[in-house]
Every structure is written in C-alpha cells, then in structure tokens.
Amino acid sequence: MCVVICRGLSSVAPQRQMTTTSAAGRPMWSARTLEHQRLQVVAQALNRQAKEETVSKLVPLLEESTVVVGLRYQGLTVKQMQQFRRSLPAEGATLLVCKNTLIKLAADQVEGWEELKPAAKGDNAWLFVQEEEISESIKAYLKFQKEVEEEVPAEERDSITALKMSGGVMSGKALTDADIKRLEKMPTKVELMATIARLLNQLPTKVAVSVKQVPNKLAYGVKALADADDNKEAVVGDVLPKSE
C-alpha cells in the first residue's frame, strides 16, 4: 500500500509544479511560471527602453545632418564595416546600424526627413553627414565601395549589393545615385568662403580702374565744351565723347 501511495504522490507532484486550481476553479500558476512571466515583462521593458534611447540618439543626428544616406551592408564583413567607418571623417560623419522602424520614428520627429522612410527597408547602415563634411564623406564612401567591388570577380560585380544606396535625403529632397556622385565634387564652406574672398579682393581693383576712367572722360568732356564755345553752331552731342 505504501508503494501505491508513493506512486500516486510521484505522479501528482509534477502537476503541482505547473499549475493548480483554486477553490473557485481559477488556475494557480507555479512559482517557475510566474518567474518566467516576470522575466518576459522585464525584457520587454528593457527592449522598449533601448528603442527609446536609440531614437533619442537618432533625433539629434538628423537635426545636425545635411545629408543622410541608407546603405546596404549585407555581404560586408565586420572587418570591412570597421574599415569603412575609419575611412570617414573623424568628425561630422557618423555610420550607424539600427532598425528601420526606429529611423522612421526619428524621421517623424525631425522636419525635413520624411523622404527617408521609403529607404527604411531591408538591412541598412545609415550615414549621417554634416554640412562641412559632405564632399569628404561621399568621396570616402564611393572609394570604399569601389574597393569592395574590385575584390570580387568582374563577372560577379553586377550582383553585389554591399554599400548600394537604398535611399538618401538632402535638405528635404530625395537623392539619386547621380546626385551622390555630384556631391563628391561639392565644395566645402571653407572653400566657398575662400572663393568669395578671392572675388572680393579682385573687386576693388576693377572698381578702381572704372572710377579712374571717369575723371579722364569728364575732363575730356569739359575741355571739348570749352573748345566748342567759340563755335556757336556746334551741338553738344557732337562735341562730347560717345558712350561705349
């Protein structure tokens, strides 16, 4: 009889570890099940917190950037991604991998980046570029893309997707591949200021030459009128020099 009781207890014990039923007929979860549920809630909270932190980083990046480009990274090794990061300017350019849903959330919060949403599909690395580093960043991107392609046999290069642009935006407008290539030659603000300064330095010289010519023409005109004073039939329009 003891054997029967022991067998009965051994068969009931596992069921009590999973669930039991209260007097009201409601399920009573075991401590193990409750702990598992608690861990799930904690994991969801941490995941939500991580998403919020990522969006909080993306928003200022969008606010500070002039150009943002989505790049396919599928097929790249970790080493290649690190090399690409190192090839970018140390300041003013940021390469970040994040979920597409998060870039969409950030784009909703910053005006002018709505056009990024269509590019937020598939595996993307996002390149954020500030105004001062547009040319250098795009040069680094195109150069590295070419190096990656050259490592692959020529007959397979057309099928390469690594570092292909999924989309990009500059000043609220969507960018094409042709636009990206033009940005490579875009002068920096420093170069523009140097060009303007050079033009301004040339301007006083040209103005001085023009001003210097005015007294000469005026003096000639006065002398011509004086000489024509004795000729009462002379017409002023015939005496003064013709305008060029």
Side-chain angles (χ1 to χ4, degrees):
M1 185 172 181
C2 289
V3 174
V4 174
I5 293 174
C6 290
R7 286 178 180 175
L9 290 174
S10 62
S11 62
V12 172
Q15 294 178 358
R16 286 179 180 175
Q17 289 179 358
M18 295 179 66
T19 60
T20 58
T21 304
S22 66
R26 297 174 182 173
M28 296 175 63
W29 301 105
S30 67
R32 182 180 298 177
T33 302
L34 291 174
E35 178 63 14
H36 178 68
Q37 291 178 339
R38 187 185 71 81
L39 291 175
Q40 282 186 322
V41 172
V42 172
Q44 290 173 355
L46 291 174
N47 189 33
R48 183 167 58 252
Q49 181 181 358
K51 288 180 179 179
E52 291 173 353
E53 290 177 355
T54 301
V55 173
S56 68
K57 292 178 182 178
L58 290 172
V59 168
L61 278 175
L62 289 176
E63 291 174 341
E64 296 168 1
S65 299
T66 302
V67 173
V68 177
V69 181
L71 303 172
R72 302 295 187 200
Y73 65 84
Q74 190 174 11
L76 290 179
T77 64
V78 174
K79 183 179 179 180
Q80 286 175 320
M81 284 291 288
Q82 292 174 343
Q83 290 174 338
F84 181 32
R85 276 196 173 96
R86 286 196 293 267
S87 70
L88 296 169
E91 296 182 1
T94 302
L95 186 66
L96 184 66
V97 176
C98 68
K99 291 184 177 180
N100 292 319
T101 53
L102 300 184
I103 199 73
K104 289 179 180 179
L105 287 173
D108 284 334
Q109 297 183 34
V110 185
E111 185 179 357
W113 297 106
E114 287 287 326
E115 292 295 329
L116 277 180
K117 290 184 178 182
K121 298 177 182 177
D123 298 325
N124 283 308
W126 298 95
L127 179 59
F128 300 83
V129 185
Q130 296 180 14
E131 183 179 12
E132 290 296 317
E133 302 298 338
I134 293 176
S135 179
E136 292 302 316
S137 298
I138 299 303
K139 283 179 183 177
Y141 157 57
L142 293 176
K143 180 182 178 183
F144 193 77
Q145 183 187 41
K146 183 178 180 181
E147 291 174 356
V148 171
E149 290 179 351
E150 289 176 348
E151 294 177 1
V152 178
E155 62 274 12
E156 299 179 10
R157 291 176 186 174
D158 291 339
S159 61
I160 296 176
T161 59
L163 291 182
K164 294 288 186 181
M165 189 178 75
S166 60
V169 175
M170 178 179 180
S171 301
K173 296 183 179 180
L175 295 172
T176 64
D177 289 332
D179 294 329
I180 290 294
K181 292 179 180 179
R182 282 193 288 268
L183 288 179
E184 181 184 11
K185 300 177 182 179
M186 181 178 176
T188 65
K189 184 180 288 187
V190 174
E191 291 171 339
L192 284 173
M193 291 176 66
T195 301
I196 293 172
R198 185 173 65 253
L199 293 174
L200 289 176
N201 286 334
Q202 295 174 354
L203 186 59
T205 303
K206 293 182 178 180
V207 171
V209 171
S210 300
V211 171
K212 185 178 180 181
Q213 292 175 350
V214 171
N216 292 336
K217 291 183 178 181
L218 181 60
Y220 176 83
V222 172
K223 184 178 185 301
L225 285 174
D227 293 341
D229 188 53
D230 295 333
N231 185 1
K232 305 301 181 181
E233 296 181 357
V235 179
V236 173
D238 296 331
V239 174
L240 292 178
K242 306 294 183 183
S243 60
E244 297 177 357

